[in-house]
Amino acid sequence: MRFFSNSVASATLLAATLSQAQILINEQSFGHSGRLSAADGRITHFSISGQPQHPEILSNKIILTPMAPGNQRSSIWADSPLTRSTWVADVDFRASGPDRAGGNLNIWYARRGKEEVGTNSVYTAGKFDGLVLVVDSHGGSGGMIRGFLNDGNVDHVSQPNVDKLAFGQCSYYYRNLGRPSQIKLRQTISNFRVEIDGKLCFETDKVSLPAGYHFGITAATPDNPDSFEIFKFVVMSDSTISGEQNKGQEHTSRQHQPDGHNHGQQQQHGGNTNDYTHSSPDQPADIFQTSKEQFEDVHSRLQFASHQISSVYEAVSKHHQMDERRSEEMKHAVDSLRHELAALRQVGDLQTKMRELQAEIHSMHQDMRQKLTTHGESLEAKLRNHHGSLAQAMSDSVPGHGKLMFFFVGTQIVLLAGYVVYTRSRASSPKKYL
């Protein structure tokens, strides 16, 4: 009995640990087991194509685009879709080439990537449904990593400027480093995150990629090409239940529940119809006669506990995400209302200040008018007094007409008298003869 209790406790602890552990998905990965290719020169679970040359598969890497010739297009696509809703994808790549070489590397997560995308890049792909992460020298920079989304309605070929469709980006110099670079794409319940060499490139909580899409990598080069090499592509997930199994569990729970109970449970749990109360029936301990029977019972209960913990964790995470979104929406609404109230308050203050300014200008106008009138009257009085004093001074300094006439007549009489005296004296004087 003690052994059974300890086993159940250990199983519960192990289930809680497994619910957070990352599990490798072999059907979506290559390059993690030492040797890259199989005995026949192919990569298991992946389809590889290229034009005009087929990519070269070596023991430790695959060369999507060689150093020569240029204008090469290559692709590698997973044969099966990813059935997990949360995952982590690691890509180790290296780009080498001359100084003015170019090209782009595209990491895809598309619904029908092999059929819709093929060997195309983000610039030559038509309509696709999914995500693409592009590594290239965008805009003449040393290097850029950008993310693009498409719901299958946007034709990238017909877009005049595809670069404007990017929802996230970061600068990264990736050429001729002499070592592989690691890009990590992480999809959780709450956000989508891209890391490069262990550092954050960009992340967003607005992107949630569904399960059932295919991973793929394409590369394209111009006349002067870069060589893109892929060393590893590994996909892991912390979810023990695939997207298809989750859909099946929801469908089963809907079938076994009455309509009224199902409707009430959907309202209570926000649409999550997983049946958390369905478990193995309780049985007495004495029916387990062998350790094998005990192990099988512990194993079944461990699987059930792991599945239930994962389901509860996902439900709690979804509710937490919804609460965060509602909190952000409420915060944005409050901030918007606060800004609007502040704007209205500023408008009222502005109107008050305008009224005060208008009254002040009116008062200044009255004062200036009064001062100008007073100044004009004072100036007029001063000019009148000045003109009067000037006329008086001129009249005092200038002699009268009578005096002037007397002066001229007297002068003439004096001159005439002098002349008469002179002539008489000259006539009376003796004449001298020579």
Side-chain angles (χ1 to χ4, degrees):
M1 186 67 181
R2 181 180 299 173
F3 169 76
F4 180 76
S5 301
N6 293 335
S7 300
V8 172
S10 301
T12 305
L13 180 61
L14 181 60
T17 303
L18 289 175
S19 63
Q20 301 296 331
Q22 296 288 345
I23 301 174
L24 176 67
I25 305 177
N26 290 319
E27 294 79 7
Q28 306 288 331
S29 307
F30 63 84
H32 57 280
S33 59
R35 188 173 181 83
L36 187 65
S37 61
D40 55 355
R42 298 176 62 255
I43 297 180
T44 310
H45 307 301
F46 286 87
S47 300
I48 302 175
S49 62
Q51 51 181 345
Q53 295 183 358
H54 195 272
E56 184 179 1
I57 304 175
L58 303 179
S59 60
N60 64 334
K61 63 182 179 181
I62 174 173
I63 304 176
L64 291 178
T65 57
M67 288 288 189
N71 297 316
Q72 175 75 20
R73 293 182 179 274
S74 301
S75 67
I76 175 168
W77 286 96
D79 295 333
S80 59
L82 179 66
T83 58
R84 300 293 193 270
S85 58
T86 58
W87 44 266
V88 177
D90 290 339
V91 182
D92 289 359
F93 76 96
R94 182 171 63 187
S96 306
D99 291 338
R100 297 185 178 181
N104 55 70
L105 182 71
N106 306 264
I107 303 173
W108 299 84
Y109 183 67
R111 185 176 182 180
R112 300 177 65 249
K114 193 186 305 182
E115 296 80 7
E116 294 178 344
V117 179
T119 59
N120 289 303
S121 67
V122 68
Y123 301 104
T124 59
K127 297 181 179 180
F128 66 90
D129 185 4
L131 165 79
V132 56
L133 197 69
V134 183
V135 182
D136 62 356
S137 299
H138 167 62
S141 61
M144 187 76 72
I145 300 176
R146 294 172 296 158
F148 297 83
L149 287 173
N150 195 346
D151 58 357
N153 295 322
V154 180
D155 189 357
H156 278 215
V157 178
S158 62
Q159 290 294 317
N161 191 355
V162 178
D163 300 324
K164 292 184 178 180
L165 302 178
F167 71 92
Q169 64 182 20
C170 69
S171 299
Y172 177 70
Y173 188 83
Y174 63 93
R175 299 182 67 251
N176 299 323
L177 296 179
R179 58 167 177 83
S181 301
Q182 184 188 51
I183 293 182
K184 180 176 292 186
L185 295 82
R186 186 187 301 272
Q187 174 66 72
T188 65
I189 297 177
S190 58
N191 67 348
F192 175 77
R193 180 185 182 97
V194 175
E195 300 175 1
I196 179 68
D197 291 340
K199 299 179 180 179
L200 176 64
C201 178
F202 64 89
E203 65 176 340
T204 175
D205 58 355
K206 308 299 183 182
V207 175
S208 180
L209 301 172
Y213 285 28
H214 292 260
F215 278 112
I217 302 175
T218 65
T221 56
D223 294 332
N224 192 13
D226 272 334
S227 175
F228 287 101
E229 304 168 329
I230 305 299
F231 294 87
K232 181 182 67 174
F233 185 84
V234 175
V235 179
M236 297 180 291
S237 176
D238 57 358
S239 177
T240 58
I241 303 178
S242 65
E244 297 297 330
Q245 292 176 349
N246 193 16
K247 292 179 182 179
Q249 288 183 359
E250 293 179 0
H251 180 68
T252 303
S253 64
R254 290 192 185 99
Q255 287 182 346
H256 286 82
Q257 290 177 352
D259 294 339
H261 179 71
N262 186 22
H263 179 70
Q265 187 176 4
Q266 286 182 1
Q267 291 181 346
Q268 182 178 359
H269 296 285
N272 187 4
T273 58
N274 290 330
D275 188 3
Y276 301 118
T277 61
H278 183 271
S279 61
S280 299
D282 295 334
Q283 296 177 352
D286 54 2
I287 67 170
F288 301 106
Q289 300 296 328
T290 63
S291 61
K292 182 178 179 181
E293 293 178 352
Q294 292 179 348
F295 176 77
E296 289 178 352
D297 181 71
V298 171
H299 178 69
S300 61
R301 294 180 183 273
L302 173 62
Q303 285 185 335
F304 174 77
S306 177
H307 293 169
Q308 298 296 55
I309 290 174
S310 298
S311 300
V312 172
Y313 176 75
E314 291 180 0
V316 171
S317 300
K318 289 180 179 178
H319 285 294
H320 181 66
Q321 183 180 3
M322 292 175 61
D323 293 339
E324 287 183 349
R325 289 180 180 177
R326 291 173 181 174
S327 177
E328 290 294 331
E329 291 176 357
M330 183 64 67
K331 183 179 178 180
H332 292 326
V334 171
D335 292 339
S336 177
L337 182 60
R338 189 175 300 164
H339 291 163
E340 291 179 358
L341 291 176
L344 291 175
R345 191 179 299 111
Q346 291 178 358
V347 170
D349 296 340
L350 183 60
Q351 290 179 350
T352 303
K353 291 181 179 179
M354 288 180 64
R355 285 193 293 267
E356 293 177 355
L357 183 61
Q358 185 179 4
E360 185 176 357
I361 291 175
H362 183 70
S363 177
M364 290 176 60
H365 179 70
Q366 294 293 336
D367 294 341
M368 290 178 64
R369 199 171 185 181
Q370 185 177 2
K371 289 182 178 181
L372 285 174
T373 303
T374 305
H375 181 70
E377 294 177 353
S378 175
L379 182 62
E380 184 180 359
K382 289 182 179 180
L383 288 175
R384 189 182 299 111
N385 296 331
H386 179 69
H387 290 166
S389 61
L390 183 61
Q392 183 66 33
M394 290 180 65
S395 62
D396 294 341
S397 60
V398 177
H401 295 286
K403 293 180 180 180
L404 186 61
M405 290 178 65
F406 178 76
F407 174 75
F408 282 115
V409 172
T411 303
Q412 293 295 328
I413 292 173
V414 171
L415 289 176
L416 182 60
Y419 179 71
V420 171
V421 172
Y422 171 73
T423 55
R424 286 180 179 181
S425 63
R426 188 174 180 184
S428 61
S429 62
K431 297 182 182 179
K432 294 179 180 182
Y433 297 98
L434 296 179

mmCIF file of all heavy atoms in Angstrom, residues 131-133 145-148 167-170 184 192-196 199-204:
data_model
loop_
_atom_site.group_PDB
_atom_site.id
_atom_site.type_symbol
_atom_site.label_atom_id
_atom_site.label_comp_id
_atom_site.label_asym_id
_atom_site.label_seq_id
_atom_site.Cartn_x
_atom_site.Cartn_y
_atom_site.Cartn_z
ATOM 1 N N LEU A 131 3.441 31.785 -42.209
ATOM 2 C CA LEU A 131 4.497 32.696 -41.773
ATOM 3 C C LEU A 131 5.755 32.422 -42.575
ATOM 4 O O LEU A 131 6.043 31.289 -42.948
ATOM 5 C CB LEU A 131 4.786 32.486 -40.279
ATOM 6 C CG LEU A 131 6.086 33.075 -39.719
ATOM 7 C CD1 LEU A 131 5.932 34.574 -39.477
ATOM 8 C CD2 LEU A 131 6.483 32.367 -38.433
ATOM 9 N N VAL A 132 6.533 33.496 -42.841
ATOM 10 C CA VAL A 132 7.858 33.356 -43.435
ATOM 11 C C VAL A 132 8.796 34.315 -42.725
ATOM 12 O O VAL A 132 8.465 35.473 -42.484
ATOM 13 C CB VAL A 132 7.835 33.610 -44.963
ATOM 14 C CG1 VAL A 132 7.257 34.983 -45.286
ATOM 15 C CG2 VAL A 132 9.235 33.478 -45.542
ATOM 16 N N LEU A 133 9.969 33.814 -42.371
ATOM 17 C CA LEU A 133 11.025 34.601 -41.754
ATOM 18 C C LEU A 133 12.150 34.728 -42.774
ATOM 19 O O LEU A 133 12.698 33.724 -43.229
ATOM 20 C CB LEU A 133 11.523 33.931 -40.468
ATOM 21 C CG LEU A 133 12.324 34.809 -39.508
ATOM 22 C CD1 LEU A 133 11.428 35.851 -38.873
ATOM 23 C CD2 LEU A 133 12.975 33.961 -38.435
ATOM 24 N N ILE A 145 16.665 40.575 -40.413
ATOM 25 C CA ILE A 145 15.749 39.447 -40.215
ATOM 26 C C ILE A 145 14.361 40.034 -40.069
ATOM 27 O O ILE A 145 14.120 40.861 -39.188
ATOM 28 C CB ILE A 145 16.130 38.619 -38.979
ATOM 29 C CG1 ILE A 145 17.546 38.060 -39.127
ATOM 30 C CG2 ILE A 145 15.134 37.484 -38.765
ATOM 31 C CD1 ILE A 145 18.035 37.305 -37.911
ATOM 32 N N ARG A 146 13.424 39.609 -40.941
ATOM 33 C CA ARG A 146 12.071 40.177 -40.946
ATOM 34 C C ARG A 146 11.039 39.057 -40.998
ATOM 35 O O ARG A 146 11.286 37.998 -41.585
ATOM 36 C CB ARG A 146 11.881 41.099 -42.144
ATOM 37 C CG ARG A 146 12.754 42.353 -42.113
ATOM 38 C CD ARG A 146 12.666 43.112 -43.416
ATOM 39 N NE ARG A 146 13.202 42.322 -44.512
ATOM 40 C CZ ARG A 146 12.900 42.515 -45.792
ATOM 41 N NH1 ARG A 146 12.027 43.442 -46.126
ATOM 42 N NH2 ARG A 146 13.443 41.768 -46.730
ATOM 43 N N GLY A 147 9.900 39.309 -40.374
ATOM 44 C CA GLY A 147 8.799 38.357 -40.356
ATOM 45 C C GLY A 147 7.620 38.859 -41.163
ATOM 46 O O GLY A 147 7.260 40.034 -41.092
ATOM 47 N N PHE A 148 7.007 37.961 -41.960
ATOM 48 C CA PHE A 148 5.849 38.289 -42.775
ATOM 49 C C PHE A 148 4.740 37.277 -42.496
ATOM 50 O O PHE A 148 5.016 36.083 -42.312
ATOM 51 C CB PHE A 148 6.193 38.251 -44.268
ATOM 52 C CG PHE A 148 7.218 39.260 -44.697
ATOM 53 C CD1 PHE A 148 8.575 38.999 -44.553
ATOM 54 C CD2 PHE A 148 6.836 40.479 -45.234
ATOM 55 C CE1 PHE A 148 9.525 39.922 -44.939
ATOM 56 C CE2 PHE A 148 7.782 41.411 -45.631
ATOM 57 C CZ PHE A 148 9.126 41.129 -45.481
ATOM 58 N N PHE A 167 5.893 42.486 -40.158
ATOM 59 C CA PHE A 167 5.309 42.823 -38.855
ATOM 60 C C PHE A 167 6.355 42.867 -37.749
ATOM 61 O O PHE A 167 6.060 43.300 -36.632
ATOM 62 C CB PHE A 167 4.220 41.817 -38.485
ATOM 63 C CG PHE A 167 4.731 40.447 -38.131
ATOM 64 C CD1 PHE A 167 5.021 40.103 -36.823
ATOM 65 C CD2 PHE A 167 4.920 39.490 -39.109
ATOM 66 C CE1 PHE A 167 5.490 38.845 -36.493
ATOM 67 C CE2 PHE A 167 5.385 38.223 -38.798
ATOM 68 C CZ PHE A 167 5.671 37.901 -37.478
ATOM 69 N N GLY A 168 7.581 42.440 -38.041
ATOM 70 C CA GLY A 168 8.655 42.483 -37.048
ATOM 71 C C GLY A 168 9.995 42.337 -37.737
ATOM 72 O O GLY A 168 10.106 41.657 -38.772
ATOM 73 N N GLN A 169 11.043 42.960 -37.178
ATOM 74 C CA GLN A 169 12.350 42.899 -37.806
ATOM 75 C C GLN A 169 13.428 43.267 -36.809
ATOM 76 O O GLN A 169 13.167 43.852 -35.759
ATOM 77 C CB GLN A 169 12.421 43.850 -39.001
ATOM 78 C CG GLN A 169 12.281 45.313 -38.637
ATOM 79 C CD GLN A 169 12.304 46.220 -39.845
ATOM 80 O OE1 GLN A 169 12.067 45.794 -40.964
ATOM 81 N NE2 GLN A 169 12.605 47.491 -39.617
ATOM 82 N N CYS A 170 14.672 42.921 -37.168
ATOM 83 C CA CYS A 170 15.840 43.317 -36.403
ATOM 84 C C CYS A 170 17.055 43.231 -37.309
ATOM 85 O O CYS A 170 17.060 42.500 -38.303
ATOM 86 C CB CYS A 170 16.032 42.449 -35.154
ATOM 87 S SG CYS A 170 16.510 40.745 -35.511
ATOM 88 N N LYS A 184 15.976 30.991 -33.647
ATOM 89 C CA LYS A 184 15.009 30.221 -32.860
ATOM 90 C C LYS A 184 13.646 30.890 -32.963
ATOM 91 O O LYS A 184 13.492 32.056 -32.618
ATOM 92 C CB LYS A 184 15.450 30.126 -31.406
ATOM 93 C CG LYS A 184 14.488 29.346 -30.518
ATOM 94 C CD LYS A 184 15.029 29.208 -29.104
ATOM 95 C CE LYS A 184 16.251 28.313 -29.072
ATOM 96 N NZ LYS A 184 16.708 28.062 -27.670
ATOM 97 N N PHE A 192 4.477 35.097 -29.796
ATOM 98 C CA PHE A 192 5.390 34.538 -30.797
ATOM 99 C C PHE A 192 6.703 35.295 -30.677
ATOM 100 O O PHE A 192 6.725 36.524 -30.621
ATOM 101 C CB PHE A 192 4.812 34.681 -32.205
ATOM 102 C CG PHE A 192 5.747 34.225 -33.288
ATOM 103 C CD1 PHE A 192 5.934 32.878 -33.529
ATOM 104 C CD2 PHE A 192 6.440 35.142 -34.055
ATOM 105 C CE1 PHE A 192 6.800 32.454 -34.519
ATOM 106 C CE2 PHE A 192 7.302 34.724 -35.048
ATOM 107 C CZ PHE A 192 7.490 33.373 -35.282
ATOM 108 N N ARG A 193 7.824 34.567 -30.669
ATOM 109 C CA ARG A 193 9.127 35.160 -30.367
ATOM 110 C C ARG A 193 10.167 34.632 -31.344
ATOM 111 O O ARG A 193 10.164 33.448 -31.691
ATOM 112 C CB ARG A 193 9.519 34.816 -28.925
ATOM 113 C CG ARG A 193 10.857 35.363 -28.450
ATOM 114 C CD ARG A 193 11.150 34.834 -27.071
ATOM 115 N NE ARG A 193 12.391 35.337 -26.529
ATOM 116 C CZ ARG A 193 12.490 36.368 -25.705
ATOM 117 N NH1 ARG A 193 11.387 36.978 -25.315
ATOM 118 N NH2 ARG A 193 13.657 36.778 -25.244
ATOM 119 N N VAL A 194 11.075 35.520 -31.777
ATOM 120 C CA VAL A 194 12.183 35.160 -32.660
ATOM 121 C C VAL A 194 13.475 35.586 -31.988
ATOM 122 O O VAL A 194 13.616 36.748 -31.583
ATOM 123 C CB VAL A 194 12.039 35.823 -34.049
ATOM 124 C CG1 VAL A 194 13.262 35.518 -34.903
ATOM 125 C CG2 VAL A 194 10.786 35.347 -34.744
ATOM 126 N N GLU A 195 14.426 34.651 -31.871
ATOM 127 C CA GLU A 195 15.726 34.927 -31.269
ATOM 128 C C GLU A 195 16.816 34.602 -32.278
ATOM 129 O O GLU A 195 16.667 33.701 -33.109
ATOM 130 C CB GLU A 195 15.924 34.102 -29.995
ATOM 131 C CG GLU A 195 14.896 34.364 -28.913
ATOM 132 C CD GLU A 195 15.061 33.439 -27.724
ATOM 133 O OE1 GLU A 195 15.999 32.603 -27.759
ATOM 134 O OE2 GLU A 195 14.260 33.522 -26.776
ATOM 135 N N ILE A 196 17.926 35.316 -32.197
ATOM 136 C CA ILE A 196 19.083 35.079 -33.044
ATOM 137 C C ILE A 196 20.320 35.009 -32.157
ATOM 138 O O ILE A 196 20.614 35.958 -31.413
ATOM 139 C CB ILE A 196 19.231 36.172 -34.134
ATOM 140 C CG1 ILE A 196 20.466 35.921 -34.981
ATOM 141 C CG2 ILE A 196 19.207 37.565 -33.528
ATOM 142 C CD1 ILE A 196 20.370 34.674 -35.847
ATOM 143 N N LYS A 199 19.801 35.948 -28.535
ATOM 144 C CA LYS A 199 19.339 37.293 -28.228
ATOM 145 C C LYS A 199 18.001 37.543 -28.906
ATOM 146 O O LYS A 199 17.755 37.034 -29.999
ATOM 147 C CB LYS A 199 20.359 38.342 -28.673
ATOM 148 C CG LYS A 199 21.706 38.208 -27.980
ATOM 149 C CD LYS A 199 22.674 39.269 -28.476
ATOM 150 C CE LYS A 199 24.025 39.143 -27.794
ATOM 151 N NZ LYS A 199 24.990 40.165 -28.284
ATOM 152 N N LEU A 200 17.177 38.358 -28.268
ATOM 153 C CA LEU A 200 15.848 38.639 -28.807
ATOM 154 C C LEU A 200 15.956 39.460 -30.085
ATOM 155 O O LEU A 200 16.646 40.481 -30.127
ATOM 156 C CB LEU A 200 15.010 39.399 -27.775
ATOM 157 C CG LEU A 200 13.621 39.852 -28.227
ATOM 158 C CD1 LEU A 200 12.744 38.653 -28.538
ATOM 159 C CD2 LEU A 200 12.974 40.737 -27.167
ATOM 160 N N CYS A 201 15.262 38.992 -31.117
ATOM 161 C CA CYS A 201 15.140 39.758 -32.367
ATOM 162 C C CYS A 201 13.852 40.573 -32.328
ATOM 163 O O CYS A 201 13.893 41.793 -32.400
ATOM 164 C CB CYS A 201 15.159 38.820 -33.567
ATOM 165 S SG CYS A 201 14.956 39.646 -35.161
ATOM 166 N N PHE A 202 12.705 39.909 -32.190
ATOM 167 C CA PHE A 202 11.437 40.599 -31.988
ATOM 168 C C PHE A 202 10.438 39.600 -31.436
ATOM 169 O O PHE A 202 10.610 38.379 -31.574
ATOM 170 C CB PHE A 202 10.914 41.242 -33.288
ATOM 171 C CG PHE A 202 10.568 40.256 -34.374
ATOM 172 C CD1 PHE A 202 9.300 39.696 -34.461
ATOM 173 C CD2 PHE A 202 11.507 39.899 -35.324
ATOM 174 C CE1 PHE A 202 8.985 38.793 -35.454
ATOM 175 C CE2 PHE A 202 11.197 39.000 -36.333
ATOM 176 C CZ PHE A 202 9.938 38.449 -36.393
ATOM 177 N N GLU A 203 9.381 40.095 -30.815
ATOM 178 C CA GLU A 203 8.305 39.258 -30.312
ATOM 179 C C GLU A 203 7.008 40.051 -30.334
ATOM 180 O O GLU A 203 7.018 41.280 -30.344
ATOM 181 C CB GLU A 203 8.596 38.756 -28.897
ATOM 182 C CG GLU A 203 8.656 39.842 -27.831
ATOM 183 C CD GLU A 203 8.849 39.265 -26.448
ATOM 184 O OE1 GLU A 203 8.557 38.074 -26.252
ATOM 185 O OE2 GLU A 203 9.305 40.012 -25.558
ATOM 186 N N THR A 204 5.885 39.335 -30.349
ATOM 187 C CA THR A 204 4.578 39.962 -30.390
ATOM 188 C C THR A 204 3.562 39.016 -29.776
ATOM 189 O O THR A 204 3.710 37.790 -29.844
ATOM 190 C CB THR A 204 4.172 40.310 -31.841
ATOM 191 O OG1 THR A 204 2.838 40.818 -31.849
ATOM 192 C CG2 THR A 204 4.235 39.090 -32.731
#
